[in-house]
Amino acid sequence: MSPRLLFTIVFIEGYCSLGAEIVALRRLIPHIGSSIVVTAPTIGLFLLALALGYHSGSRVAADYRTVVARNFLISALLMGAGLAGGSVNAIFAGAPAGLAYLIFIGAILCPLAWLLGQTVPILTNLMRVQRSGEAAGRALYWSTLGSFLGSVTLSLVVMQLFGVWAAVLLGAWMLVAGAALVQRPRPLAAGLLIGAAALSVAANLGDRQRADTAYADYAVEPVAREGMQTPRAFRVNNQVASLIDDSEPPQYARYVQHLRRILLDDLRFKERDVLVLGAGGFTLSHREPLNRYTYVDIDPAIRAIAQRDFLREPARGEFVATDARRFVIETTRRYDAVVVDVYSSRSSIPGHLVTREFWRDTRHALKPGGVMLANLILDGRLAGSYARNLLATIESAYGRCAVEVLAKAATSSNVIVTCFAGETADATRIYVDERNLADIDSAGSP
């Protein structure tokens, strides 16, 4: 095998193996989020399967081209069909999330990594070099270069411009092409390669109708809500992020109406600057001309999708496509209110947006006396460790905050937290029978 052909095949292996991992992590977001407890095991299991593939490839002693061509063909099927949006959704719809994750990893991602991991140790047997170290080094160089370009181009170019389905289809087609390059296919093998390419097209072209980007899956669908007139939901990563109906004036999701009531009725905001971290369906400012709104969301495509499919009219307010934490750190503007609504899936907030440092950064983006409103999804009784610790973390940055549970009897509920960026409060004290200063404190209160 000529060095140019060999390195092309190794490059395809690297490009598609890491590309498959990037796509897999993206496919998991709507179902189990993107927290470190999801990404770390996924990356670890992928690397373990890759290591086992290296070991298996080192033991192949004959029919090198045939083995690699077969591995590429099977990998093309796993990537083209197994990583298609419909396939992943079917896995998670048919089993509990934990079991579905194991099925997805064990039946699709790890076998694909294992098969492609065999490529470099097998093909180095076909290199005409004087030293084994030279053969391994050159092969690993082209494989790693492919991995680098696969991770960068698929996530920053293909997914952004066309969608996740295009990244899946591109990887599957590259593997089919690689199988054909390794060994000139005979009629049966050629038919299998054509079938794999066609199956990949059939499995992924339907996803073109879905609005998916490198960051999220979006869908707008009719729902049934008592008291609302033909309501529709804006789903982000399988979560109902916003609601709107056709009544005049429109009605919105309960928590959005609650936030609007706090800003417009309780605080009587008018001609104020409101920063919204997490755009959702842009309903907080919908037909609300009294104040100036700035939305921040990491996905640059969300505004166009929400306007076209959900609001069906232009969204009010300025839009900035960037990470929420980066924005509040870098902005020099100060706002009268900061609204935090940054869920990436049903109950998952990105880890860097729940820490004390993040909540302190939101406070720095407020004018003196400004208000921070956070929409959280917690257990209705606020009894779980996540609820208690998250609320304590927010109050470590703001001091005492108001906490309103919108559905107290529910297993999980929207919880609205209201905090003010005022002077640092004095240390608290406990009233006891022997030294009760309640009356003095009460007399000095507003």
Side-chain angles (χ1 to χ4, degrees):
M1 181 179 289
S2 69
R4 179 176 297 179
L5 177 58
L6 189 148
F7 294 141
T8 298
I9 295 164
V10 170
F11 177 88
I12 292 173
E13 171 271 322
Y15 189 100
C16 294
S17 61
L18 201 62
E21 183 182 20
I22 296 296
V23 170
L25 289 169
R26 169 61 185 80
R27 289 296 192 203
L28 289 172
I29 290 175
H31 303 285
I32 54 177
S34 58
S35 66
I36 192 68
V37 297
V38 173
T39 57
T42 303
I43 294 171
L45 291 169
F46 176 87
L47 292 175
L48 176 61
L50 205 61
L52 294 174
Y54 295 151
H55 181 70
S56 298
S58 69
R59 302 178 65 180
V60 176
D63 299 324
Y64 304 124
R65 290 173 178 257
T66 301
V67 173
V68 173
R70 179 202 65 198
N71 289 351
F72 271 42
L73 172 61
I74 299 172
S75 298
L77 291 169
L78 287 171
M79 189 165 190
L83 292 180
S87 301
V88 179
N89 290 341
I91 292 172
F92 279 88
L99 177 59
Y101 171 79
L102 294 177
I103 293 172
F104 175 72
I105 296 297
I108 297 174
L109 184 60
C110 284
L112 193 155
W114 179 74
L115 290 167
L116 293 181
Q118 298 177 31
T119 305
V120 169
I122 291 176
L123 290 186
T124 50
N125 293 293
L126 301 177
M127 292 182 67
R128 299 186 183 94
V129 292
Q130 297 297 319
R131 297 179 294 106
S132 59
E134 180 184 358
R138 293 174 68 186
L140 287 172
Y141 166 78
W142 286 102
S143 175
T144 305
L145 181 63
S147 296
F148 165 73
L149 292 177
S151 63
V152 172
T153 59
L154 290 181
S155 60
L156 300 182
V157 180
V158 179
M159 289 186 190
Q160 300 283 359
L161 295 179
F162 304 103
V164 184
W165 67 271
V168 175
L169 197 55
L170 175 61
W173 281 359
M174 288 182 66
L175 289 169
V176 168
L181 289 173
V182 172
Q183 186 176 56
R184 180 175 297 176
R186 296 177 180 179
L188 176 59
L192 292 174
L193 291 175
I194 293 172
L199 179 61
S200 299
V201 172
N204 288 279
L205 282 189
D207 288 341
R208 292 184 306 165
Q209 308 305 318
R210 301 167 58 226
D212 64 0
T213 69
Y215 301 98
D217 291 347
Y218 300 100
V220 176
E221 57 187 36
V223 292
R225 292 290 189 276
E226 185 177 352
M228 299 183 76
Q229 180 179 331
T230 59
R232 57 187 179 274
F234 186 47
R235 288 187 171 272
V236 180
N237 286 332
N238 293 337
Q239 164 187 293
V240 176
S242 295
L243 290 171
I244 195 171
D245 74 348
D246 293 333
S247 59
E248 289 294 339
Q251 297 185 71
Y252 311 102
R254 183 182 176 188
Y255 85 91
V256 171
Q257 297 199 146
H258 192 82
L259 290 171
R260 288 170 67 110
R261 185 163 56 250
I262 292 174
L263 293 173
L264 302 178
D265 298 339
D266 296 349
L267 300 177
R268 300 184 182 278
F269 267 30
K270 186 176 182 180
E271 295 295 325
R272 302 291 188 91
D273 295 303
V274 180
L275 173 64
V276 186
L277 304 179
F282 295 84
T283 50
L284 192 64
S285 63
H286 184 244
R287 299 186 186 178
E288 200 285 87
L290 298 178
N291 298 286
R292 298 175 293 272
Y293 291 83
T294 300
Y295 287 91
V296 174
D297 198 282
I298 197 169
D299 192 347
I302 189 172
R303 179 167 186 155
I305 295 171
Q307 290 180 151
R308 182 188 68 231
D309 301 330
F310 179 63
L311 295 177
R312 299 169 186 171
E313 62 183 76
R316 288 198 73 256
E318 179 186 355
F319 175 65
V320 181
T322 190
D323 177 75
R325 183 163 177 177
R326 176 175 294 277
F327 183 87
V328 294
I329 290 174
E330 295 181 349
T331 184
T332 57
R333 295 177 60 183
R334 295 296 177 261
Y335 298 86
D336 297 286
V338 174
V339 179
V340 181
D341 187 14
V342 288
Y343 279 88
S344 61
S345 64
R346 177 69 182 89
S347 57
S348 175
I349 300 176
H352 67 300
L353 302 181
V354 295
T355 63
R356 177 179 58 188
E357 290 76 11
F358 167 71
W359 298 109
R360 285 177 175 173
D361 291 333
T362 64
R363 180 168 179 159
H364 294 158
L366 284 169
K367 296 176 182 178
V371 61
M372 190 280 295
L373 301 169
N375 171 52
L376 308 175
I377 299 176
L378 306 172
D379 65 279
R381 297 184 178 182
L382 305 181
S385 58
Y386 180 67
R388 292 183 287 106
N389 293 335
L390 180 52
L391 293 174
T393 301
I394 296 172
E395 292 188 342
S396 72
Y398 280 95
R400 180 61 64 196
C401 301
V403 179
E404 300 170 87
V405 181
L406 302 191
K408 296 179 177 59
T411 304
S412 62
S413 168
N414 289 97
V415 176
I416 306 301
V417 180
T418 306
C419 309
F420 289 90
E423 297 281 336
T424 303
D426 296 333
T428 58
R429 56 192 173 203
I430 306 299
Y431 298 131
V432 296
D433 287 339
E434 293 297 325
R435 194 166 182 266
N436 189 347
L437 301 178
D439 290 338
I440 296 176
D441 289 345
S442 177
S445 297

mmCIF file of all heavy atoms in Angstrom, residues 189-220:
data_model
loop_
_atom_site.group_PDB
_atom_site.id
_atom_site.type_symbol
_atom_site.label_atom_id
_atom_site.label_comp_id
_atom_site.label_asym_id
_atom_site.label_seq_id
_atom_site.Cartn_x
_atom_site.Cartn_y
_atom_site.Cartn_z
ATOM 1 N N ALA A 189 -19.281 -6.824 -1.868
ATOM 2 C CA ALA A 189 -18.829 -5.760 -0.970
ATOM 3 C C ALA A 189 -19.289 -4.395 -1.463
ATOM 4 O O ALA A 189 -19.675 -3.526 -0.663
ATOM 5 C CB ALA A 189 -17.306 -5.803 -0.852
ATOM 6 N N ALA A 190 -19.256 -4.185 -2.787
ATOM 7 C CA ALA A 190 -19.720 -2.907 -3.336
ATOM 8 C C ALA A 190 -21.193 -2.694 -3.021
ATOM 9 O O ALA A 190 -21.621 -1.575 -2.685
ATOM 10 C CB ALA A 190 -19.485 -2.864 -4.846
ATOM 11 N N GLY A 191 -21.989 -3.753 -3.124
ATOM 12 C CA GLY A 191 -23.410 -3.638 -2.791
ATOM 13 C C GLY A 191 -23.626 -3.295 -1.333
ATOM 14 O O GLY A 191 -24.502 -2.492 -0.993
ATOM 15 N N LEU A 192 -22.801 -3.897 -0.450
ATOM 16 C CA LEU A 192 -22.925 -3.590 0.974
ATOM 17 C C LEU A 192 -22.545 -2.141 1.261
ATOM 18 O O LEU A 192 -23.196 -1.480 2.081
ATOM 19 C CB LEU A 192 -22.037 -4.534 1.787
ATOM 20 C CG LEU A 192 -22.465 -6.007 1.809
ATOM 21 C CD1 LEU A 192 -21.433 -6.862 2.525
ATOM 22 C CD2 LEU A 192 -23.828 -6.161 2.489
ATOM 23 N N LEU A 193 -21.499 -1.653 0.599
ATOM 24 C CA LEU A 193 -21.103 -0.266 0.807
ATOM 25 C C LEU A 193 -22.177 0.695 0.315
ATOM 26 O O LEU A 193 -22.488 1.692 0.981
ATOM 27 C CB LEU A 193 -19.785 0.010 0.093
ATOM 28 C CG LEU A 193 -18.545 -0.672 0.678
ATOM 29 C CD1 LEU A 193 -17.324 -0.403 -0.198
ATOM 30 C CD2 LEU A 193 -18.280 -0.205 2.096
ATOM 31 N N ILE A 194 -22.737 0.413 -0.841
ATOM 32 C CA ILE A 194 -23.820 1.262 -1.348
ATOM 33 C C ILE A 194 -25.019 1.208 -0.407
ATOM 34 O O ILE A 194 -25.666 2.225 -0.123
ATOM 35 C CB ILE A 194 -24.216 0.819 -2.768
ATOM 36 C CG1 ILE A 194 -23.059 1.103 -3.744
ATOM 37 C CG2 ILE A 194 -25.482 1.533 -3.230
ATOM 38 C CD1 ILE A 194 -23.270 0.526 -5.130
ATOM 39 N N GLY A 195 -25.309 0.005 0.107
ATOM 40 C CA GLY A 195 -26.418 -0.126 1.052
ATOM 41 C C GLY A 195 -26.178 0.654 2.330
ATOM 42 O O GLY A 195 -27.093 1.293 2.870
ATOM 43 N N ALA A 196 -24.936 0.642 2.835
ATOM 44 C CA ALA A 196 -24.618 1.398 4.046
ATOM 45 C C ALA A 196 -24.773 2.891 3.814
ATOM 46 O O ALA A 196 -25.310 3.624 4.666
ATOM 47 C CB ALA A 196 -23.197 1.076 4.502
ATOM 48 N N ALA A 197 -24.303 3.362 2.638
ATOM 49 C CA ALA A 197 -24.446 4.785 2.322
ATOM 50 C C ALA A 197 -25.918 5.172 2.199
ATOM 51 O O ALA A 197 -26.344 6.225 2.696
ATOM 52 C CB ALA A 197 -23.707 5.105 1.034
ATOM 53 N N ALA A 198 -26.708 4.312 1.545
ATOM 54 C CA ALA A 198 -28.138 4.600 1.369
ATOM 55 C C ALA A 198 -28.875 4.576 2.706
ATOM 56 O O ALA A 198 -29.751 5.417 2.966
ATOM 57 C CB ALA A 198 -28.752 3.595 0.397
ATOM 58 N N LEU A 199 -28.529 3.619 3.576
ATOM 59 C CA LEU A 199 -29.164 3.548 4.892
ATOM 60 C C LEU A 199 -28.857 4.794 5.708
ATOM 61 O O LEU A 199 -29.735 5.313 6.421
ATOM 62 C CB LEU A 199 -28.689 2.298 5.628
ATOM 63 C CG LEU A 199 -29.253 2.104 7.050
ATOM 64 C CD1 LEU A 199 -30.776 1.972 7.012
ATOM 65 C CD2 LEU A 199 -28.619 0.879 7.713
ATOM 66 N N SER A 200 -27.624 5.282 5.618
ATOM 67 C CA SER A 200 -27.257 6.500 6.337
ATOM 68 C C SER A 200 -28.082 7.687 5.863
ATOM 69 O O SER A 200 -28.547 8.503 6.667
ATOM 70 C CB SER A 200 -25.762 6.788 6.139
ATOM 71 O OG SER A 200 -24.984 5.737 6.636
ATOM 72 N N VAL A 201 -28.287 7.764 4.549
ATOM 73 C CA VAL A 201 -29.110 8.850 4.005
ATOM 74 C C VAL A 201 -30.543 8.735 4.512
ATOM 75 O O VAL A 201 -31.143 9.706 4.986
ATOM 76 C CB VAL A 201 -29.073 8.838 2.463
ATOM 77 C CG1 VAL A 201 -30.074 9.845 1.905
ATOM 78 C CG2 VAL A 201 -27.672 9.154 1.961
ATOM 79 N N ALA A 202 -31.097 7.528 4.432
ATOM 80 C CA ALA A 202 -32.490 7.328 4.853
ATOM 81 C C ALA A 202 -32.674 7.626 6.332
ATOM 82 O O ALA A 202 -33.703 8.173 6.745
ATOM 83 C CB ALA A 202 -32.917 5.895 4.539
ATOM 84 N N ALA A 203 -31.669 7.264 7.154
ATOM 85 C CA ALA A 203 -31.804 7.454 8.603
ATOM 86 C C ALA A 203 -31.657 8.908 9.016
ATOM 87 O O ALA A 203 -32.179 9.305 10.062
ATOM 88 C CB ALA A 203 -30.768 6.597 9.328
ATOM 89 N N ASN A 204 -30.980 9.717 8.201
ATOM 90 C CA ASN A 204 -30.660 11.075 8.632
ATOM 91 C C ASN A 204 -31.381 12.184 7.881
ATOM 92 O O ASN A 204 -31.496 13.285 8.410
ATOM 93 C CB ASN A 204 -29.147 11.309 8.516
ATOM 94 C CG ASN A 204 -28.372 10.568 9.580
ATOM 95 O OD1 ASN A 204 -28.266 11.006 10.719
ATOM 96 N ND2 ASN A 204 -27.841 9.401 9.206
ATOM 97 N N LEU A 205 -31.849 11.923 6.684
ATOM 98 C CA LEU A 205 -32.482 13.009 5.937
ATOM 99 C C LEU A 205 -33.759 13.499 6.603
ATOM 100 O O LEU A 205 -34.123 14.660 6.485
ATOM 101 C CB LEU A 205 -32.765 12.568 4.496
ATOM 102 C CG LEU A 205 -31.556 12.581 3.552
ATOM 103 C CD1 LEU A 205 -32.003 12.338 2.120
ATOM 104 C CD2 LEU A 205 -30.800 13.901 3.633
ATOM 105 N N GLY A 206 -34.444 12.597 7.318
ATOM 106 C CA GLY A 206 -35.639 13.029 8.038
ATOM 107 C C GLY A 206 -35.340 14.048 9.113
ATOM 108 O O GLY A 206 -36.191 14.870 9.467
ATOM 109 N N ASP A 207 -34.096 14.030 9.626
ATOM 110 C CA ASP A 207 -33.721 14.979 10.669
ATOM 111 C C ASP A 207 -33.553 16.393 10.131
ATOM 112 O O ASP A 207 -33.425 17.336 10.911
ATOM 113 C CB ASP A 207 -32.415 14.536 11.340
ATOM 114 C CG ASP A 207 -32.610 13.312 12.223
ATOM 115 O OD1 ASP A 207 -33.769 13.041 12.595
ATOM 116 O OD2 ASP A 207 -31.623 12.631 12.532
ATOM 117 N N ARG A 208 -33.514 16.543 8.810
ATOM 118 C CA ARG A 208 -33.404 17.891 8.252
ATOM 119 C C ARG A 208 -34.605 18.746 8.626
ATOM 120 O O ARG A 208 -34.517 19.968 8.694
ATOM 121 C CB ARG A 208 -33.299 17.835 6.726
ATOM 122 C CG ARG A 208 -32.014 17.244 6.202
ATOM 123 C CD ARG A 208 -32.002 17.327 4.694
ATOM 124 N NE ARG A 208 -33.192 16.730 4.115
ATOM 125 C CZ ARG A 208 -33.585 16.907 2.860
ATOM 126 N NH1 ARG A 208 -32.888 17.686 2.057
ATOM 127 N NH2 ARG A 208 -34.677 16.303 2.411
ATOM 128 N N GLN A 209 -35.752 18.102 8.864
ATOM 129 C CA GLN A 209 -36.960 18.845 9.199
ATOM 130 C C GLN A 209 -36.938 19.336 10.634
ATOM 131 O O GLN A 209 -37.718 20.217 11.001
ATOM 132 C CB GLN A 209 -38.201 17.959 8.981
ATOM 133 C CG GLN A 209 -38.258 17.309 7.591
ATOM 134 C CD GLN A 209 -38.173 18.332 6.478
ATOM 135 O OE1 GLN A 209 -38.779 19.389 6.546
ATOM 136 N NE2 GLN A 209 -37.411 18.014 5.444
ATOM 137 N N ARG A 210 -36.044 18.759 11.447
ATOM 138 C CA ARG A 210 -35.942 19.178 12.834
ATOM 139 C C ARG A 210 -34.933 20.311 12.935
ATOM 140 O O ARG A 210 -33.943 20.345 12.220
ATOM 141 C CB ARG A 210 -35.487 18.010 13.716
ATOM 142 C CG ARG A 210 -36.411 16.818 13.660
ATOM 143 C CD ARG A 210 -35.785 15.585 14.291
ATOM 144 N NE ARG A 210 -35.416 15.832 15.668
ATOM 145 C CZ ARG A 210 -34.245 15.477 16.180
ATOM 146 N NH1 ARG A 210 -33.328 14.926 15.435
ATOM 147 N NH2 ARG A 210 -33.980 15.695 17.446
ATOM 148 N N ALA A 211 -35.206 21.234 13.803
ATOM 149 C CA ALA A 211 -34.276 22.339 14.031
ATOM 150 C C ALA A 211 -33.287 21.903 15.098
ATOM 151 O O ALA A 211 -33.572 21.974 16.288
ATOM 152 C CB ALA A 211 -35.025 23.592 14.460
ATOM 153 N N ASP A 212 -32.143 21.399 14.659
ATOM 154 C CA ASP A 212 -31.112 21.051 15.631
ATOM 155 C C ASP A 212 -29.816 21.750 15.248
ATOM 156 O O ASP A 212 -29.522 21.971 14.085
ATOM 157 C CB ASP A 212 -30.920 19.537 15.766
ATOM 158 C CG ASP A 212 -30.423 18.882 14.480
ATOM 159 O OD1 ASP A 212 -30.232 19.594 13.481
ATOM 160 O OD2 ASP A 212 -30.240 17.660 14.475
ATOM 161 N N THR A 213 -29.097 22.155 16.262
ATOM 162 C CA THR A 213 -27.840 22.866 16.066
ATOM 163 C C THR A 213 -26.761 22.162 16.875
ATOM 164 O O THR A 213 -27.002 21.110 17.481
ATOM 165 C CB THR A 213 -27.960 24.330 16.529
ATOM 166 O OG1 THR A 213 -28.076 24.349 17.964
ATOM 167 C CG2 THR A 213 -29.174 24.998 15.911
ATOM 168 N N ALA A 214 -25.596 22.748 16.905
ATOM 169 C CA ALA A 214 -24.514 22.164 17.701
ATOM 170 C C ALA A 214 -24.833 22.184 19.192
ATOM 171 O O ALA A 214 -24.210 21.457 19.966
ATOM 172 C CB ALA A 214 -23.208 22.911 17.439
ATOM 173 N N TYR A 215 -25.830 22.985 19.614
ATOM 174 C CA TYR A 215 -26.107 23.159 21.030
ATOM 175 C C TYR A 215 -27.396 22.485 21.502
ATOM 176 O O TYR A 215 -27.480 22.078 22.658
ATOM 177 C CB TYR A 215 -26.193 24.655 21.368
ATOM 178 C CG TYR A 215 -24.937 25.415 21.037
ATOM 179 C CD1 TYR A 215 -24.822 26.131 19.855
ATOM 180 C CD2 TYR A 215 -23.847 25.396 21.906
ATOM 181 C CE1 TYR A 215 -23.657 26.825 19.542
ATOM 182 C CE2 TYR A 215 -22.685 26.087 21.602
ATOM 183 C CZ TYR A 215 -22.591 26.799 20.415
ATOM 184 O OH TYR A 215 -21.441 27.469 20.104
ATOM 185 N N ALA A 216 -28.392 22.385 20.644
ATOM 186 C CA ALA A 216 -29.692 21.932 21.140
ATOM 187 C C ALA A 216 -30.580 21.436 20.013
ATOM 188 O O ALA A 216 -30.380 21.768 18.840
ATOM 189 C CB ALA A 216 -30.404 23.068 21.891
ATOM 190 N N ASP A 217 -31.580 20.620 20.406
ATOM 191 C CA ASP A 217 -32.680 20.244 19.523
ATOM 192 C C ASP A 217 -33.852 21.171 19.819
ATOM 193 O O ASP A 217 -34.162 21.439 20.990
ATOM 194 C CB ASP A 217 -33.130 18.804 19.779
ATOM 195 C CG ASP A 217 -32.080 17.788 19.351
ATOM 196 O OD1 ASP A 217 -31.127 18.185 18.648
ATOM 197 O OD2 ASP A 217 -32.207 16.612 19.730
ATOM 198 N N TYR A 218 -34.522 21.645 18.768
ATOM 199 C CA TYR A 218 -35.668 22.540 18.941
ATOM 200 C C TYR A 218 -36.881 21.957 18.226
ATOM 201 O O TYR A 218 -36.764 21.371 17.152
ATOM 202 C CB TYR A 218 -35.366 23.926 18.363
ATOM 203 C CG TYR A 218 -34.187 24.610 18.992
ATOM 204 C CD1 TYR A 218 -32.934 24.609 18.374
ATOM 205 C CD2 TYR A 218 -34.307 25.256 20.224
ATOM 206 C CE1 TYR A 218 -31.847 25.238 18.955
ATOM 207 C CE2 TYR A 218 -33.215 25.883 20.807
ATOM 208 C CZ TYR A 218 -31.990 25.869 20.166
ATOM 209 O OH TYR A 218 -30.917 26.488 20.746
ATOM 210 N N ALA A 219 -38.028 22.156 18.830
ATOM 211 C CA ALA A 219 -39.278 21.727 18.205
ATOM 212 C C ALA A 219 -40.405 22.596 18.728
ATOM 213 O O ALA A 219 -40.395 23.015 19.894
ATOM 214 C CB ALA A 219 -39.568 20.258 18.502
ATOM 215 N N VAL A 220 -41.375 22.871 17.878
ATOM 216 C CA VAL A 220 -42.584 23.593 18.266
ATOM 217 C C VAL A 220 -43.753 22.665 18.002
ATOM 218 O O VAL A 220 -43.898 22.132 16.898
ATOM 219 C CB VAL A 220 -42.742 24.902 17.477
ATOM 220 C CG1 VAL A 220 -44.060 25.586 17.840
ATOM 221 C CG2 VAL A 220 -41.564 25.836 17.753
#
